[in-house]
Amino acid sequence: MNPHNQRKRVFHLHVQEKDACCTSGHEHRHRPSPASSAADDHHHGHHAHAHADACCSPGEASGSTPARHDPPPTGTSQVRYRIDKMDCPTEERLIRNRLETMPGIVRLDFRLLDRELTVHHRLADAQPIAIALQALDMAPRLLEAGAPVAPVPPVLSTRLKILLTLSGLAAVAAEVSIWTGGEESSWLVVALAVMSILSAGLPILKKGWIALRNLTLNIYFLMSLAVVGAVSIGKWPEAAMVVFLFAVAEAIEALSLERARRAIRSLTALAPETAEARVADGWQEQAVARVAIGSRIRVRTGARVPLDARVESGRAALDQAPITGESLPVDKQVGDLLYAGSIVTDGVLEATVTAVAGDSTLARIAAAIQEAQAQRAPTQRFVDRFAQVYTPAVVALAVLLAVLGPVLFAGTWGEWLYQALVLLVIACPCALVVSTPITVVSGLAAAARHGILIKGGAHLEGGRLLKAVALDKTGTLTQGKPALTDAAPFGDLPLAEALLIAASLDEHSTHPVARALVAGWRRQQPDATMLPVEDFAVLNGHGVKGRIAGQAWHLGNHRLVEEMGVCSPELEARLALLENTGKTTVILCAPSGPVAVFAVADTLRPESLAAVQALRALHVEAVMLTGDNPATARAIADQLGIQEARGNLMPEDKQAAVAELRNLHGAVGMLGDGVNDAPALARADIGFAMGAAGTATALEIADVAIMDDDPRKIADFIRLSRRVGSILKQNIALALGIKIVFFALALAGHATLWMAVFADMGASLLVVGNGLRLLRK
């Protein structure tokens, strides 16, 4: 098992006991409904999960709280800095090279988009860390634990725009002066070049010196070396053009990163800063930070919900797309949950706050995205390792070219030094290094915008490798609650009258199957009223009875009609037909015998068939795992076109099934509710939690959290992962391909310094733009 799955094993102990209560049950002595596994004190048979809410609700999970992914190393302290000068992987590598070698430093967590660094250490005092960062000219600012993320300043300030403009004009003027017959060593050309270099190049030269002092061969060192080398051989205009083009490239890359940052911010800064809360003398606008759990708030049409809350009065339609990705408004009424950041499109609601601002679903989404940014994707780790070998090798090759070129080949020392400098600029790995994080962050943002929360680049990349997905049945492929599916007369009594009598009897029962029958009657006869019932009684394990208009009625399961002695071969055949399709049967009996047959079952989600078909189109095998008996599992699987369905599975059985599927197919995903299926989620290569909005446990456990209840998003995730993998390969090919072409031109003597910088800048912009395309998905 990989280290990630080992970390998730901590969830097993506190969920297996709950899982056992969700799949327990026993067979009736008489021929039962295939869906029946109820305890004897339940009056209708039903499938194993029908009463699971009482013991399996994610909101009521007992035991220890699940740990976050990548928890802080044991025995360490942590210090958090805001570093405004750290905005690309080049600065990250410089900081890593400096801090990771310091005694007492255990781990570094970077959030480049927020320009934050968290250092996990075992030092008595964190001051040496700040000193080391200041020596790198990073100007760190200490952030208090739990402090909110401050807005990142604009990347292009007015001052920077003026300096870039001045540098560009001076560099172009120097080149024009040469083209019109001027000398490279003339005072005008040199003055213009110096003006250009001083306007835009001082930060580059300073960073290059810092890199050299810390023995780090990064882009700033290479560019500084190219500029100094060009000046030393009298190539002043080219030195100026190198500085200007590189500064422009940096500014454009920074703008691209700012676009990705805005995409993330648009997902995490949706909740308003104030809430309309009830006070002693009416309603008052208050800062959300001051609104406590249990407070009453009011949300009007057009307003955003400020805090997670439960509706106490009113009805309204809400746009939950920012949280769940649902495209259509969702109707909310008394008892329903509201998510901070969702928008009331029609209506007014009063609700009781269920979570403070820092613990809302939106806040947990923000935290998950921020953690995901800090994790390094496999491709990024590979590229970083490649660059660590590639850059020194190219520097060594350039030195050999400058030293041995005049000796082994024709040409002057100055000409070969110039070609070596061109080679250094061309070989810069900036485009290669920047391509991966911008692509991964864009993919994470695109997924979150559509209600798919991915807990890191490793999972985003890993989705394309999935060959099979194990799907829990109850609450995942099905609605998770019974519904009336069949109603048919069994005699002369009209069906409408039989259904009214049955609903009147079951109105007095709290059993889930009874609730389903009553709800079905209300849908079919919305204007009818219940009949009064006298002498009502519950027949434990059988059903209910009562008198309506002086006549005795019995309503119950298969066992009831057998014990009453009114079962017939015709009724047996009718019941078998329903039970063999995984439905629970309910029979209404008059003193003369059965008069109507009803069936209740856990119904499919409307999206489930499309979800399975989408997986099949991606050549991903769908396998259903359930605690229900095999007949019920097979009946549901046949409706969805799933070839393999396994029933009677305890949590540890599901875990073993996932392991078996891994051996059979390769990489396997597991889709469940985030709690009851935790062992299987932990064993899978990627665990998907269904309906994670508002459920803290699911957000913690899952590698990928589906914020609404739409299983089709599993295929969406796999498609996105494949798209990300394709773009990463394209970016690596682009970055290396462009360098190979210009490398050949440099060796042939046809490339100039400013052409080399232009090629490097073009490669960087191509890969960044290619990665940002994911934001449109």
Side-chain angles (χ1 to χ4, degrees):
M1 184 181 295
N2 62 41
H4 168 68
N5 287 339
Q6 288 176 346
R7 287 197 301 274
K8 291 194 287 186
R9 293 181 67 170
V10 299
F11 305 121
H12 294 193
L13 295 179
H14 83 278
V15 297
Q16 284 185 353
E17 184 175 22
K18 290 190 288 298
D19 286 328
C21 77
C22 292
T23 55
S24 61
H26 63 274
E27 296 292 336
H28 291 165
R29 287 182 293 108
H30 302 276
R31 184 162 58 106
S33 158
S36 299
S37 58
D40 282 344
D41 59 342
H42 290 169
H43 77 279
H44 296 302
H46 64 293
H47 63 75
H49 283 270
H51 64 289
D53 290 344
C55 61
C56 302
S57 170
E60 299 173 4
S62 61
S64 59
T65 301
R68 295 156 67 98
H69 288 254
D70 291 336
T74 56
T76 62
S77 301
Q78 68 180 46
V79 60
R80 181 167 158 239
Y81 296 102
R82 172 66 173 273
I83 305 175
D84 284 328
K85 294 186 178 182
M86 178 187 72
D87 59 1
C88 82
T90 302
E91 280 95 0
E92 177 184 338
R93 173 49 53 193
L94 183 64
I95 293 172
R96 283 189 183 277
N97 290 348
R98 180 67 182 87
L99 294 186
E100 286 182 338
T101 59
M102 288 177 56
I105 302 298
V106 179
R107 193 177 83 197
L108 305 177
D109 290 339
F110 289 86
R111 293 222 306 262
L112 291 181
L113 289 189
D114 293 321
R115 299 183 184 178
E116 288 191 18
L117 167 65
T118 301
V119 183
H120 303 271
H121 64 89
R122 293 192 176 97
L123 301 174
D125 182 8
Q127 189 60 27
I129 300 173
I131 293 173
L133 291 171
Q134 289 165 357
L136 298 176
D137 192 37
M138 289 297 168
R141 286 187 287 129
L142 184 65
L143 296 177
E144 296 297 330
V149 178
V152 175
V155 295
L156 282 183
S157 63
T158 302
R159 178 177 178 274
L160 181 57
K161 291 177 183 176
I162 293 173
L163 289 175
L164 280 176
T165 302
L166 182 61
S167 176
L169 291 174
V172 170
E175 289 284 0
V176 170
S177 179
I178 297 296
W179 296 340
T180 55
E183 296 290 335
E184 285 191 329
S185 57
S186 67
W187 69 267
L188 177 61
V189 172
V190 171
L192 289 171
V194 169
M195 181 185 301
S196 177
I197 293 171
L198 292 178
S199 298
L202 288 182
I204 298 170
L205 295 172
K206 184 178 181 180
K207 290 178 180 179
W209 168 246
I210 293 172
L212 176 62
R213 201 172 60 196
N214 287 274
L215 303 178
T216 300
L217 301 181
N218 62 21
I219 178 62
Y220 299 112
F221 168 74
L222 297 180
M223 286 298 167
S224 298
L225 191 60
V227 171
V228 172
V231 168
S232 68
I233 59 176
K235 299 288 186 179
W236 287 94
E238 291 203 48
M241 191 60 71
V242 165
V243 166
F244 170 65
L245 288 176
F246 181 69
V248 170
E250 275 209 310
I252 296 175
E253 286 178 13
L255 287 172
S256 301
L257 287 169
E258 188 172 63
R259 180 182 172 190
R261 184 182 298 119
R262 284 198 302 267
I264 295 292
R265 285 279 177 266
S266 69
L267 297 167
T268 59
L270 297 171
E273 297 180 356
T274 61
E276 188 179 5
R278 175 178 284 176
V279 294
D281 54 350
W283 297 90
Q284 184 182 65
E285 288 287 332
Q286 294 184 354
V288 292
R290 294 176 50 199
V291 181
I293 294 176
S295 300
R296 188 80 166 242
I297 60 172
R298 182 168 62 187
V299 192
R300 304 172 186 270
T301 300
R304 289 187 182 270
V305 177
L307 298 153
D308 282 7
R310 190 177 301 276
V311 178
E312 298 294 340
S313 68
R315 295 175 65 97
L318 271 79
D319 177 3
Q320 296 186 157
I323 311 299
T324 66
E326 293 167 289
S327 58
L328 297 176
V330 178
D331 290 329
K332 297 287 185 176
Q333 56 188 346
V334 174
D336 289 342
L337 286 176
L338 305 179
Y339 304 128
S342 53
I343 306 166
V344 178
T345 60
D346 181 27
V348 178
L349 296 171
E350 292 186 19
T352 299
V353 174
T354 57
V356 296
D359 292 331
S360 68
T361 300
L362 186 63
R364 292 197 299 272
I365 292 173
I369 293 176
Q370 288 161 2
E371 287 180 18
Q373 293 175 43
Q375 297 181 25
R376 294 155 67 79
T379 302
Q380 184 177 354
R381 291 194 294 268
F382 164 76
V383 166
D384 288 347
R385 288 194 301 268
F386 177 80
Q388 285 179 307
V389 176
Y390 164 83
T391 306
V394 170
V395 171
L397 178 62
V399 171
L400 289 175
L401 190 67
V403 173
L404 299 179
V407 177
L408 300 177
F409 307 100
T412 65
W413 179 87
E415 290 172 344
W416 282 103
L417 176 59
Y418 182 81
Q419 294 304 321
L421 295 175
V422 172
L423 178 63
L424 284 179
V425 175
I426 291 173
C428 170
C430 190
L432 191 63
V433 172
V434 80
S435 65
T436 305
I438 196 69
T439 302
V440 170
V441 167
S442 298
L444 295 173
R449 186 183 295 156
H450 293 87
I452 305 172
L453 185 60
I454 305 171
K455 306 290 275 298
H459 308 307
L460 177 60
E461 285 195 46
R464 64 187 174 86
L465 303 175
L466 292 180
K467 302 300 182 185
V469 176
L471 306 165
D472 177 51
K473 180 182 75 69
T474 306
T476 301
L477 296 174
T478 66
Q479 300 282 3
K481 54 185 179 181
L484 182 65
T485 58
D486 297 85
F490 194 79
D492 297 330
L493 187 68
L495 179 59
E497 185 177 346
L499 184 57
L500 175 59
I501 293 171
S504 299
L505 289 167
D506 262 348
E507 173 68 12
H508 299 274
S509 172
T510 60
H511 192 275
V513 174
R515 298 293 87 206
L517 193 150
V518 172
W521 165 77
R522 291 189 191 280
R523 286 194 301 271
Q524 295 187 29
Q525 303 178 23
D527 299 325
T529 56
M530 292 285 185
L531 302 174
V533 178
E534 300 175 339
D535 300 331
F536 175 82
V538 174
L539 307 174
N540 287 335
H542 295 75
V544 297
K545 67 176 183 177
R547 301 181 69 85
I548 297 176
Q551 181 172 329
W553 294 94
H554 287 76
L555 181 68
N557 56 21
H558 195 161
R559 181 190 298 178
L560 176 65
V561 294
E562 288 192 350
E563 294 194 0
M564 289 176 64
V566 295
C567 198
S568 64
E570 183 184 359
L571 180 61
E572 286 278 353
R574 179 79 65 86
L575 296 181
L577 190 63
L578 295 169
E579 291 168 353
N580 289 337
T581 60
K583 297 177 180 178
T584 297
T585 53
V586 182
I587 307 98
L588 177 65
C589 296
S592 58
V595 298
V597 175
F598 308 100
V600 170
D602 186 7
T603 56
L604 285 175
R605 293 186 183 278
E607 310 88 0
S608 294
L609 179 58
V612 174
Q613 291 174 339
L615 289 174
R616 188 181 299 117
L618 294 171
H619 304 289
V620 176
E621 185 74 16
V623 179
M624 191 172 74
L625 308 179
T626 179
D628 282 344
N629 61 66
T632 301
R634 187 68 264 161
I636 296 295
D638 287 342
Q639 295 179 56
L640 296 173
I642 295 177
Q643 299 299 317
E644 185 176 357
R646 305 186 186 190
N648 285 338
L649 299 183
M650 296 291 284
E652 58 271 21
D653 299 326
K654 292 183 180 180
Q655 184 183 30
V658 169
E660 183 181 335
L661 291 172
R662 287 184 69 189
N663 294 331
L664 184 63
H665 297 284
V668 173
M670 172 67 193
L671 174 64
D673 64 6
V675 177
N676 299 334
D677 301 301
L681 288 170
R683 191 59 183 267
D685 293 275
I686 298 180
F688 299 89
M690 173 73 86
T695 307
T697 308
L699 280 173
E700 292 288 351
I701 290 178
D703 299 320
V704 178
I706 307 300
M707 301 308 293
D708 60 1
D709 291 324
D710 191 346
R712 293 174 297 181
K713 289 184 177 176
I714 302 299
D716 292 340
F717 164 77
I718 295 174
R719 278 192 290 266
L720 175 65
S721 177
R722 292 180 180 180
R723 183 65 173 159
V724 167
S726 175
I727 288 178
L728 287 173
K729 292 175 184 176
Q730 292 170 16
N731 283 348
I732 292 173
L734 278 170
L736 293 179
I738 290 174
K739 291 185 184 304
I740 290 171
V741 170
F742 277 84
F743 182 79
L745 290 174
L747 292 180
H750 298 302
T752 63
L753 268 178
W754 70 266
M755 287 170 60
V757 175
F758 193 79
D760 181 71
M761 176 182 72
S764 297
L765 297 183
L766 276 176
V767 298
V768 168
N770 198 30
L772 288 175
R773 286 192 301 129
L774 288 167
L775 292 176
R776 299 197 298 270
K777 295 295 178 183

